[in-house]
Amino acid sequence: MNFDEFLKEKEKIEKLSIEEQKKFYEQLLKNKHDKTELYVYASFYYGHLFYQNGNFGKVIEIMEPIVMDYQSYPYTPKILSCFNLIGVAAHCEAEYSISRFFYKIALKIAKENSAKFYYAFEYNNIALTYIEEQNYEEALKSLALAEDVLKDCDEEMGAYIYINKSISLQKLNRLTEALKAFELGVSQYHADTIVPDDVTRCAATLYYKLEQPEKYETYKK
């Protein structure tokens, strides 16, 4: 099966059950061991099926052969997706330093290939691991780097970056800056549409700390 045939087949099997899709990828990966773009794609989609079911350990097991030997594979943006998938799986297992390790390699690969579109995404991912570790100063450093390259990325990333920035600033009790980041995320990057749940939580805590009861009650409801 060549790459184009794989993409056509993938489109067909998406109508099947999760278990039938898994069997397709299992068979494909069993019979194909050469280090090609097809193998990267198949591994990613196979792992993603387990991610959807919350089986994060299996995701890590599937992704490890790709990410540990990524230099043997041709560069494709899907390599970055593999690193991000194993990163988020490790994150969900509360292995934040391991998660960050994979995000940093993804960033390194993106830079080596001048894939500027992905820089802000990876910096934001790195910041999330620091937020989980309550290391808000380091989170803010990563988010500042994400801001610097936001112009090269999908505009939607601004919603994530500025809400995460607001959350981090709140934790450091830098409330004026937190409010500015929050308002920018909502007004310019439409965070209330893109990440509505995060906006609600962020706003409720922010306005509570700012002692603005009317706005606090609005978001609390």
PDB file of all heavy atoms in Angstrom, residues 62-98:
ATOM      1  N   ILE A  62       2.701   2.904  21.761  1.00  0.00           N
ATOM      2  CA  ILE A  62       2.652   2.968  20.294  1.00  0.00           C
ATOM      3  C   ILE A  62       3.565   4.065  19.749  1.00  0.00           C
ATOM      4  O   ILE A  62       4.236   3.891  18.731  1.00  0.00           O
ATOM      5  CB  ILE A  62       1.200   3.198  19.821  1.00  0.00           C
ATOM      6  CG1 ILE A  62       0.331   1.980  20.160  1.00  0.00           C
ATOM      7  CG2 ILE A  62       1.144   3.491  18.321  1.00  0.00           C
ATOM      8  CD1 ILE A  62      -1.158   2.234  20.035  1.00  0.00           C
ATOM      9  N   MET A  63       3.620   5.181  20.430  1.00  0.00           N
ATOM     10  CA  MET A  63       4.375   6.329  19.935  1.00  0.00           C
ATOM     11  C   MET A  63       5.870   6.222  20.180  1.00  0.00           C
ATOM     12  O   MET A  63       6.670   6.802  19.448  1.00  0.00           O
ATOM     13  CB  MET A  63       3.858   7.616  20.588  1.00  0.00           C
ATOM     14  CG  MET A  63       2.474   8.073  20.151  1.00  0.00           C
ATOM     15  SD  MET A  63       2.418   8.557  18.404  1.00  0.00           S
ATOM     16  CE  MET A  63       1.750   7.067  17.662  1.00  0.00           C
ATOM     17  N   GLU A  64       6.270   5.490  21.207  1.00  0.00           N
ATOM     18  CA  GLU A  64       7.696   5.430  21.582  1.00  0.00           C
ATOM     19  C   GLU A  64       8.628   5.036  20.445  1.00  0.00           C
ATOM     20  O   GLU A  64       9.679   5.672  20.263  1.00  0.00           O
ATOM     21  CB  GLU A  64       7.883   4.505  22.788  1.00  0.00           C
ATOM     22  CG  GLU A  64       7.785   5.238  24.103  1.00  0.00           C
ATOM     23  CD  GLU A  64       8.134   4.357  25.288  1.00  0.00           C
ATOM     24  OE1 GLU A  64       8.006   3.119  25.191  1.00  0.00           O
ATOM     25  OE2 GLU A  64       8.536   4.925  26.316  1.00  0.00           O
ATOM     26  N   PRO A  65       8.315   3.998  19.655  1.00  0.00           N
ATOM     27  CA  PRO A  65       9.255   3.627  18.582  1.00  0.00           C
ATOM     28  C   PRO A  65       9.487   4.752  17.574  1.00  0.00           C
ATOM     29  O   PRO A  65      10.592   4.879  17.037  1.00  0.00           O
ATOM     30  CB  PRO A  65       8.556   2.429  17.918  1.00  0.00           C
ATOM     31  CG  PRO A  65       7.672   1.873  18.979  1.00  0.00           C
ATOM     32  CD  PRO A  65       7.189   3.055  19.756  1.00  0.00           C
ATOM     33  N   ILE A  66       8.469   5.561  17.338  1.00  0.00           N
ATOM     34  CA  ILE A  66       8.609   6.679  16.400  1.00  0.00           C
ATOM     35  C   ILE A  66       9.451   7.786  17.023  1.00  0.00           C
ATOM     36  O   ILE A  66      10.435   8.242  16.433  1.00  0.00           O
ATOM     37  CB  ILE A  66       7.226   7.245  16.019  1.00  0.00           C
ATOM     38  CG1 ILE A  66       6.371   6.188  15.305  1.00  0.00           C
ATOM     39  CG2 ILE A  66       7.376   8.498  15.149  1.00  0.00           C
ATOM     40  CD1 ILE A  66       6.735   5.915  13.890  1.00  0.00           C
ATOM     41  N   VAL A  67       9.072   8.226  18.225  1.00  0.00           N
ATOM     42  CA  VAL A  67       9.721   9.409  18.792  1.00  0.00           C
ATOM     43  C   VAL A  67      11.153   9.129  19.248  1.00  0.00           C
ATOM     44  O   VAL A  67      11.996  10.033  19.212  1.00  0.00           O
ATOM     45  CB  VAL A  67       8.891  10.005  19.958  1.00  0.00           C
ATOM     46  CG1 VAL A  67       7.503  10.408  19.481  1.00  0.00           C
ATOM     47  CG2 VAL A  67       8.790   9.048  21.135  1.00  0.00           C
ATOM     48  N   MET A  68      11.441   7.897  19.645  1.00  0.00           N
ATOM     49  CA  MET A  68      12.791   7.586  20.098  1.00  0.00           C
ATOM     50  C   MET A  68      13.767   7.411  18.932  1.00  0.00           C
ATOM     51  O   MET A  68      14.981   7.463  19.115  1.00  0.00           O
ATOM     52  CB  MET A  68      12.794   6.330  20.979  1.00  0.00           C
ATOM     53  CG  MET A  68      11.931   6.461  22.239  1.00  0.00           C
ATOM     54  SD  MET A  68      12.241   7.962  23.207  1.00  0.00           S
ATOM     55  CE  MET A  68      13.871   7.608  23.863  1.00  0.00           C
ATOM     56  N   ASP A  69      13.213   7.219  17.738  1.00  0.00           N
ATOM     57  CA  ASP A  69      14.064   7.010  16.560  1.00  0.00           C
ATOM     58  C   ASP A  69      13.647   7.956  15.429  1.00  0.00           C
ATOM     59  O   ASP A  69      13.768   7.625  14.259  1.00  0.00           O
ATOM     60  CB  ASP A  69      13.953   5.546  16.115  1.00  0.00           C
ATOM     61  CG  ASP A  69      15.035   5.153  15.115  1.00  0.00           C
ATOM     62  OD1 ASP A  69      16.122   5.767  15.135  1.00  0.00           O
ATOM     63  OD2 ASP A  69      14.781   4.251  14.291  1.00  0.00           O
ATOM     64  N   TYR A  70      13.150   9.139  15.810  1.00  0.00           N
ATOM     65  CA  TYR A  70      12.559  10.046  14.825  1.00  0.00           C
ATOM     66  C   TYR A  70      13.535  10.481  13.743  1.00  0.00           C
ATOM     67  O   TYR A  70      13.142  10.776  12.603  1.00  0.00           O
ATOM     68  CB  TYR A  70      11.975  11.279  15.521  1.00  0.00           C
ATOM     69  CG  TYR A  70      12.999  12.291  15.998  1.00  0.00           C
ATOM     70  CD1 TYR A  70      13.397  13.350  15.179  1.00  0.00           C
ATOM     71  CD2 TYR A  70      13.573  12.194  17.266  1.00  0.00           C
ATOM     72  CE1 TYR A  70      14.340  14.265  15.620  1.00  0.00           C
ATOM     73  CE2 TYR A  70      14.504  13.111  17.706  1.00  0.00           C
ATOM     74  CZ  TYR A  70      14.891  14.141  16.882  1.00  0.00           C
ATOM     75  OH  TYR A  70      15.814  15.055  17.302  1.00  0.00           O
ATOM     76  N   GLN A  71      14.841  10.505  14.056  1.00  0.00           N
ATOM     77  CA  GLN A  71      15.823  10.958  13.072  1.00  0.00           C
ATOM     78  C   GLN A  71      15.985   9.988  11.907  1.00  0.00           C
ATOM     79  O   GLN A  71      16.536  10.354  10.871  1.00  0.00           O
ATOM     80  CB  GLN A  71      17.175  11.186  13.762  1.00  0.00           C
ATOM     81  CG  GLN A  71      17.143  12.376  14.718  1.00  0.00           C
ATOM     82  CD  GLN A  71      18.396  12.480  15.555  1.00  0.00           C
ATOM     83  OE1 GLN A  71      18.874  11.471  16.080  1.00  0.00           O
ATOM     84  NE2 GLN A  71      18.929  13.682  15.700  1.00  0.00           N
ATOM     85  N   SER A  72      15.478   8.773  12.085  1.00  0.00           N
ATOM     86  CA  SER A  72      15.531   7.783  11.005  1.00  0.00           C
ATOM     87  C   SER A  72      14.363   7.922  10.035  1.00  0.00           C
ATOM     88  O   SER A  72      14.337   7.249   8.998  1.00  0.00           O
ATOM     89  CB  SER A  72      15.524   6.360  11.590  1.00  0.00           C
ATOM     90  OG  SER A  72      16.648   6.152  12.409  1.00  0.00           O
ATOM     91  N   TYR A  73      13.415   8.777  10.366  1.00  0.00           N
ATOM     92  CA  TYR A  73      12.226   8.961   9.535  1.00  0.00           C
ATOM     93  C   TYR A  73      12.332  10.266   8.746  1.00  0.00           C
ATOM     94  O   TYR A  73      12.965  11.229   9.204  1.00  0.00           O
ATOM     95  CB  TYR A  73      10.966   9.010  10.405  1.00  0.00           C
ATOM     96  CG  TYR A  73      10.625   7.694  11.055  1.00  0.00           C
ATOM     97  CD1 TYR A  73      11.219   7.315  12.262  1.00  0.00           C
ATOM     98  CD2 TYR A  73       9.713   6.822  10.473  1.00  0.00           C
ATOM     99  CE1 TYR A  73      10.920   6.103  12.860  1.00  0.00           C
ATOM    100  CE2 TYR A  73       9.406   5.610  11.061  1.00  0.00           C
ATOM    101  CZ  TYR A  73      10.018   5.251  12.266  1.00  0.00           C
ATOM    102  OH  TYR A  73       9.716   4.056  12.849  1.00  0.00           O
ATOM    103  N   PRO A  74      11.703  10.322   7.585  1.00  0.00           N
ATOM    104  CA  PRO A  74      11.687  11.589   6.840  1.00  0.00           C
ATOM    105  C   PRO A  74      10.876  12.622   7.612  1.00  0.00           C
ATOM    106  O   PRO A  74       9.912  12.270   8.296  1.00  0.00           O
ATOM    107  CB  PRO A  74      11.002  11.215   5.521  1.00  0.00           C
ATOM    108  CG  PRO A  74      10.160  10.014   5.850  1.00  0.00           C
ATOM    109  CD  PRO A  74      10.933   9.264   6.901  1.00  0.00           C
ATOM    110  N   TYR A  75      11.285  13.889   7.518  1.00  0.00           N
ATOM    111  CA  TYR A  75      10.518  14.917   8.225  1.00  0.00           C
ATOM    112  C   TYR A  75       9.143  15.086   7.582  1.00  0.00           C
ATOM    113  O   TYR A  75       9.006  15.187   6.368  1.00  0.00           O
ATOM    114  CB  TYR A  75      11.221  16.272   8.226  1.00  0.00           C
ATOM    115  CG  TYR A  75      10.303  17.352   8.756  1.00  0.00           C
ATOM    116  CD1 TYR A  75      10.000  17.413  10.112  1.00  0.00           C
ATOM    117  CD2 TYR A  75       9.679  18.245   7.897  1.00  0.00           C
ATOM    118  CE1 TYR A  75       9.115  18.351  10.609  1.00  0.00           C
ATOM    119  CE2 TYR A  75       8.789  19.200   8.376  1.00  0.00           C
ATOM    120  CZ  TYR A  75       8.519  19.249   9.734  1.00  0.00           C
ATOM    121  OH  TYR A  75       7.622  20.177  10.217  1.00  0.00           O
ATOM    122  N   THR A  76       8.156  15.123   8.442  1.00  0.00           N
ATOM    123  CA  THR A  76       6.790  15.465   8.071  1.00  0.00           C
ATOM    124  C   THR A  76       6.163  16.102   9.301  1.00  0.00           C
ATOM    125  O   THR A  76       6.493  15.721  10.432  1.00  0.00           O
ATOM    126  CB  THR A  76       5.975  14.223   7.644  1.00  0.00           C
ATOM    127  OG1 THR A  76       4.579  14.554   7.599  1.00  0.00           O
ATOM    128  CG2 THR A  76       6.147  13.074   8.617  1.00  0.00           C
ATOM    129  N   PRO A  77       5.275  17.076   9.131  1.00  0.00           N
ATOM    130  CA  PRO A  77       4.612  17.658  10.313  1.00  0.00           C
ATOM    131  C   PRO A  77       3.945  16.615  11.207  1.00  0.00           C
ATOM    132  O   PRO A  77       3.764  16.847  12.401  1.00  0.00           O
ATOM    133  CB  PRO A  77       3.587  18.611   9.698  1.00  0.00           C
ATOM    134  CG  PRO A  77       4.207  19.020   8.400  1.00  0.00           C
ATOM    135  CD  PRO A  77       4.899  17.779   7.898  1.00  0.00           C
ATOM    136  N   LYS A  78       3.610  15.459  10.632  1.00  0.00           N
ATOM    137  CA  LYS A  78       2.979  14.411  11.437  1.00  0.00           C
ATOM    138  C   LYS A  78       3.938  13.854  12.483  1.00  0.00           C
ATOM    139  O   LYS A  78       3.501  13.309  13.503  1.00  0.00           O
ATOM    140  CB  LYS A  78       2.459  13.294  10.534  1.00  0.00           C
ATOM    141  CG  LYS A  78       1.464  12.362  11.201  1.00  0.00           C
ATOM    142  CD  LYS A  78       0.228  13.092  11.717  1.00  0.00           C
ATOM    143  CE  LYS A  78      -0.712  13.510  10.633  1.00  0.00           C
ATOM    144  NZ  LYS A  78      -1.943  14.156  11.160  1.00  0.00           N
ATOM    145  N   ILE A  79       5.236  14.016  12.274  1.00  0.00           N
ATOM    146  CA  ILE A  79       6.221  13.657  13.314  1.00  0.00           C
ATOM    147  C   ILE A  79       5.974  14.508  14.549  1.00  0.00           C
ATOM    148  O   ILE A  79       6.008  14.026  15.689  1.00  0.00           O
ATOM    149  CB  ILE A  79       7.664  13.862  12.801  1.00  0.00           C
ATOM    150  CG1 ILE A  79       8.078  12.717  11.881  1.00  0.00           C
ATOM    151  CG2 ILE A  79       8.643  13.992  13.962  1.00  0.00           C
ATOM    152  CD1 ILE A  79       8.534  11.457  12.593  1.00  0.00           C
ATOM    153  N   LEU A  80       5.716  15.798  14.339  1.00  0.00           N
ATOM    154  CA  LEU A  80       5.415  16.695  15.459  1.00  0.00           C
ATOM    155  C   LEU A  80       4.146  16.242  16.156  1.00  0.00           C
ATOM    156  O   LEU A  80       4.045  16.295  17.391  1.00  0.00           O
ATOM    157  CB  LEU A  80       5.263  18.135  14.963  1.00  0.00           C
ATOM    158  CG  LEU A  80       6.452  18.723  14.198  1.00  0.00           C
ATOM    159  CD1 LEU A  80       6.156  20.161  13.789  1.00  0.00           C
ATOM    160  CD2 LEU A  80       7.721  18.657  15.029  1.00  0.00           C
ATOM    161  N   SER A  81       3.163  15.794  15.381  1.00  0.00           N
ATOM    162  CA  SER A  81       1.915  15.293  15.969  1.00  0.00           C
ATOM    163  C   SER A  81       2.173  14.089  16.853  1.00  0.00           C
ATOM    164  O   SER A  81       1.544  13.933  17.904  1.00  0.00           O
ATOM    165  CB  SER A  81       0.919  14.918  14.858  1.00  0.00           C
ATOM    166  OG  SER A  81       0.602  16.025  14.060  1.00  0.00           O
ATOM    167  N   CYS A  82       3.111  13.234  16.450  1.00  0.00           N
ATOM    168  CA  CYS A  82       3.460  12.063  17.265  1.00  0.00           C
ATOM    169  C   CYS A  82       4.056  12.500  18.598  1.00  0.00           C
ATOM    170  O   CYS A  82       3.707  11.958  19.652  1.00  0.00           O
ATOM    171  CB  CYS A  82       4.435  11.172  16.513  1.00  0.00           C
ATOM    172  SG  CYS A  82       3.712  10.288  15.101  1.00  0.00           S
ATOM    173  N   PHE A  83       4.952  13.483  18.549  1.00  0.00           N
ATOM    174  CA  PHE A  83       5.542  13.987  19.793  1.00  0.00           C
ATOM    175  C   PHE A  83       4.489  14.636  20.676  1.00  0.00           C
ATOM    176  O   PHE A  83       4.494  14.472  21.903  1.00  0.00           O
ATOM    177  CB  PHE A  83       6.660  14.986  19.476  1.00  0.00           C
ATOM    178  CG  PHE A  83       7.984  14.330  19.231  1.00  0.00           C
ATOM    179  CD1 PHE A  83       8.380  13.997  17.945  1.00  0.00           C
ATOM    180  CD2 PHE A  83       8.828  14.020  20.287  1.00  0.00           C
ATOM    181  CE1 PHE A  83       9.602  13.373  17.716  1.00  0.00           C
ATOM    182  CE2 PHE A  83      10.051  13.401  20.074  1.00  0.00           C
ATOM    183  CZ  PHE A  83      10.437  13.074  18.781  1.00  0.00           C
ATOM    184  N   ASN A  84       3.584  15.372  20.067  1.00  0.00           N
ATOM    185  CA  ASN A  84       2.539  16.021  20.862  1.00  0.00           C
ATOM    186  C   ASN A  84       1.559  15.013  21.448  1.00  0.00           C
ATOM    187  O   ASN A  84       1.069  15.194  22.563  1.00  0.00           O
ATOM    188  CB  ASN A  84       1.806  17.058  20.010  1.00  0.00           C
ATOM    189  CG  ASN A  84       2.658  18.284  19.750  1.00  0.00           C
ATOM    190  OD1 ASN A  84       3.336  18.771  20.654  1.00  0.00           O
ATOM    191  ND2 ASN A  84       2.655  18.777  18.532  1.00  0.00           N
ATOM    192  N   LEU A  85       1.300  13.945  20.698  1.00  0.00           N
ATOM    193  CA  LEU A  85       0.381  12.925  21.206  1.00  0.00           C
ATOM    194  C   LEU A  85       0.992  12.186  22.399  1.00  0.00           C
ATOM    195  O   LEU A  85       0.317  11.984  23.413  1.00  0.00           O
ATOM    196  CB  LEU A  85       0.030  11.936  20.093  1.00  0.00           C
ATOM    197  CG  LEU A  85      -0.987  10.853  20.453  1.00  0.00           C
ATOM    198  CD1 LEU A  85      -2.301  11.459  20.943  1.00  0.00           C
ATOM    199  CD2 LEU A  85      -1.242   9.932  19.253  1.00  0.00           C
ATOM    200  N   ILE A  86       2.258  11.808  22.310  1.00  0.00           N
ATOM    201  CA  ILE A  86       2.889  11.142  23.455  1.00  0.00           C
ATOM    202  C   ILE A  86       3.057  12.137  24.601  1.00  0.00           C
ATOM    203  O   ILE A  86       2.959  11.777  25.777  1.00  0.00           O
ATOM    204  CB  ILE A  86       4.230  10.489  23.061  1.00  0.00           C
ATOM    205  CG1 ILE A  86       4.673   9.503  24.153  1.00  0.00           C
ATOM    206  CG2 ILE A  86       5.306  11.506  22.772  1.00  0.00           C
ATOM    207  CD1 ILE A  86       5.877   8.653  23.774  1.00  0.00           C
ATOM    208  N   GLY A  87       3.271  13.415  24.254  1.00  0.00           N
ATOM    209  CA  GLY A  87       3.381  14.446  25.291  1.00  0.00           C
ATOM    210  C   GLY A  87       2.099  14.615  26.073  1.00  0.00           C
ATOM    211  O   GLY A  87       2.111  14.681  27.305  1.00  0.00           O
ATOM    212  N   VAL A  88       0.984  14.661  25.371  1.00  0.00           N
ATOM    213  CA  VAL A  88      -0.285  14.856  26.071  1.00  0.00           C
ATOM    214  C   VAL A  88      -0.677  13.584  26.829  1.00  0.00           C
ATOM    215  O   VAL A  88      -1.295  13.654  27.899  1.00  0.00           O
ATOM    216  CB  VAL A  88      -1.397  15.307  25.093  1.00  0.00           C
ATOM    217  CG1 VAL A  88      -1.913  14.166  24.239  1.00  0.00           C
ATOM    218  CG2 VAL A  88      -2.562  15.938  25.853  1.00  0.00           C
ATOM    219  N   ALA A  89      -0.300  12.414  26.307  1.00  0.00           N
ATOM    220  CA  ALA A  89      -0.567  11.164  27.026  1.00  0.00           C
ATOM    221  C   ALA A  89       0.212  11.138  28.340  1.00  0.00           C
ATOM    222  O   ALA A  89      -0.328  10.772  29.396  1.00  0.00           O
ATOM    223  CB  ALA A  89      -0.203   9.961  26.159  1.00  0.00           C
ATOM    224  N   ALA A  90       1.479  11.552  28.293  1.00  0.00           N
ATOM    225  CA  ALA A  90       2.283  11.627  29.520  1.00  0.00           C
ATOM    226  C   ALA A  90       1.704  12.668  30.475  1.00  0.00           C
ATOM    227  O   ALA A  90       1.669  12.469  31.696  1.00  0.00           O
ATOM    228  CB  ALA A  90       3.734  11.965  29.172  1.00  0.00           C
ATOM    229  N   HIS A  91       1.238  13.781  29.920  1.00  0.00           N
ATOM    230  CA  HIS A  91       0.604  14.838  30.726  1.00  0.00           C
ATOM    231  C   HIS A  91      -0.611  14.273  31.471  1.00  0.00           C
ATOM    232  O   HIS A  91      -0.801  14.530  32.665  1.00  0.00           O
ATOM    233  CB  HIS A  91       0.177  15.978  29.804  1.00  0.00           C
ATOM    234  CG  HIS A  91      -0.303  17.202  30.517  1.00  0.00           C
ATOM    235  ND1 HIS A  91       0.370  18.404  30.468  1.00  0.00           N
ATOM    236  CD2 HIS A  91      -1.385  17.427  31.307  1.00  0.00           C
ATOM    237  CE1 HIS A  91      -0.279  19.302  31.191  1.00  0.00           C
ATOM    238  NE2 HIS A  91      -1.352  18.730  31.701  1.00  0.00           N
ATOM    239  N   CYS A  92      -1.418  13.496  30.752  1.00  0.00           N
ATOM    240  CA  CYS A  92      -2.619  12.914  31.365  1.00  0.00           C
ATOM    241  C   CYS A  92      -2.277  11.887  32.438  1.00  0.00           C
ATOM    242  O   CYS A  92      -3.104  11.594  33.301  1.00  0.00           O
ATOM    243  CB  CYS A  92      -3.492  12.272  30.289  1.00  0.00           C
ATOM    244  SG  CYS A  92      -4.278  13.460  29.179  1.00  0.00           S
ATOM    245  N   GLU A  93      -1.059  11.351  32.381  1.00  0.00           N
ATOM    246  CA  GLU A  93      -0.585  10.432  33.419  1.00  0.00           C
ATOM    247  C   GLU A  93       0.151  11.191  34.525  1.00  0.00           C
ATOM    248  O   GLU A  93       0.797  10.581  35.373  1.00  0.00           O
ATOM    249  CB  GLU A  93       0.342   9.386  32.793  1.00  0.00           C
ATOM    250  CG  GLU A  93      -0.345   8.443  31.808  1.00  0.00           C
ATOM    251  CD  GLU A  93      -1.171   7.368  32.488  1.00  0.00           C
ATOM    252  OE1 GLU A  93      -1.274   7.377  33.733  1.00  0.00           O
ATOM    253  OE2 GLU A  93      -1.712   6.501  31.780  1.00  0.00           O
ATOM    254  N   ALA A  94       0.082  12.532  34.470  1.00  0.00           N
ATOM    255  CA  ALA A  94       0.717  13.417  35.459  1.00  0.00           C
ATOM    256  C   ALA A  94       2.244  13.324  35.432  1.00  0.00           C
ATOM    257  O   ALA A  94       2.912  13.617  36.415  1.00  0.00           O
ATOM    258  CB  ALA A  94       0.185  13.144  36.874  1.00  0.00           C
ATOM    259  N   GLU A  95       2.789  12.933  34.296  1.00  0.00           N
ATOM    260  CA  GLU A  95       4.246  12.885  34.112  1.00  0.00           C
ATOM    261  C   GLU A  95       4.657  14.159  33.376  1.00  0.00           C
ATOM    262  O   GLU A  95       5.001  14.148  32.186  1.00  0.00           O
ATOM    263  CB  GLU A  95       4.636  11.634  33.317  1.00  0.00           C
ATOM    264  CG  GLU A  95       4.299  10.318  33.995  1.00  0.00           C
ATOM    265  CD  GLU A  95       5.217  10.028  35.179  1.00  0.00           C
ATOM    266  OE1 GLU A  95       6.188  10.784  35.386  1.00  0.00           O
ATOM    267  OE2 GLU A  95       4.963   9.029  35.895  1.00  0.00           O
ATOM    268  N   TYR A  96       4.640  15.265  34.091  1.00  0.00           N
ATOM    269  CA  TYR A  96       4.769  16.567  33.433  1.00  0.00           C
ATOM    270  C   TYR A  96       6.168  16.829  32.882  1.00  0.00           C
ATOM    271  O   TYR A  96       6.311  17.423  31.808  1.00  0.00           O
ATOM    272  CB  TYR A  96       4.343  17.676  34.397  1.00  0.00           C
ATOM    273  CG  TYR A  96       2.948  17.455  34.937  1.00  0.00           C
ATOM    274  CD1 TYR A  96       2.717  17.352  36.308  1.00  0.00           C
ATOM    275  CD2 TYR A  96       1.873  17.298  34.071  1.00  0.00           C
ATOM    276  CE1 TYR A  96       1.437  17.119  36.803  1.00  0.00           C
ATOM    277  CE2 TYR A  96       0.594  17.062  34.548  1.00  0.00           C
ATOM    278  CZ  TYR A  96       0.379  16.974  35.924  1.00  0.00           C
ATOM    279  OH  TYR A  96      -0.884  16.732  36.405  1.00  0.00           O
ATOM    280  N   SER A  97       7.193  16.407  33.582  1.00  0.00           N
ATOM    281  CA  SER A  97       8.549  16.629  33.073  1.00  0.00           C
ATOM    282  C   SER A  97       8.800  15.792  31.820  1.00  0.00           C
ATOM    283  O   SER A  97       9.480  16.246  30.886  1.00  0.00           O
ATOM    284  CB  SER A  97       9.588  16.312  34.148  1.00  0.00           C
ATOM    285  OG  SER A  97       9.506  14.957  34.546  1.00  0.00           O
ATOM    286  N   ILE A  98       8.240  14.582  31.788  1.00  0.00           N
ATOM    287  CA  ILE A  98       8.365  13.734  30.599  1.00  0.00           C
ATOM    288  C   ILE A  98       7.595  14.359  29.432  1.00  0.00           C
ATOM    289  O   ILE A  98       8.082  14.423  28.300  1.00  0.00           O
ATOM    290  CB  ILE A  98       7.861  12.307  30.885  1.00  0.00           C
ATOM    291  CG1 ILE A  98       8.766  11.635  31.921  1.00  0.00           C
ATOM    292  CG2 ILE A  98       7.799  11.478  29.599  1.00  0.00           C
ATOM    293  CD1 ILE A  98       8.265  10.286  32.394  1.00  0.00           C
TER     294      ILE A  98
END
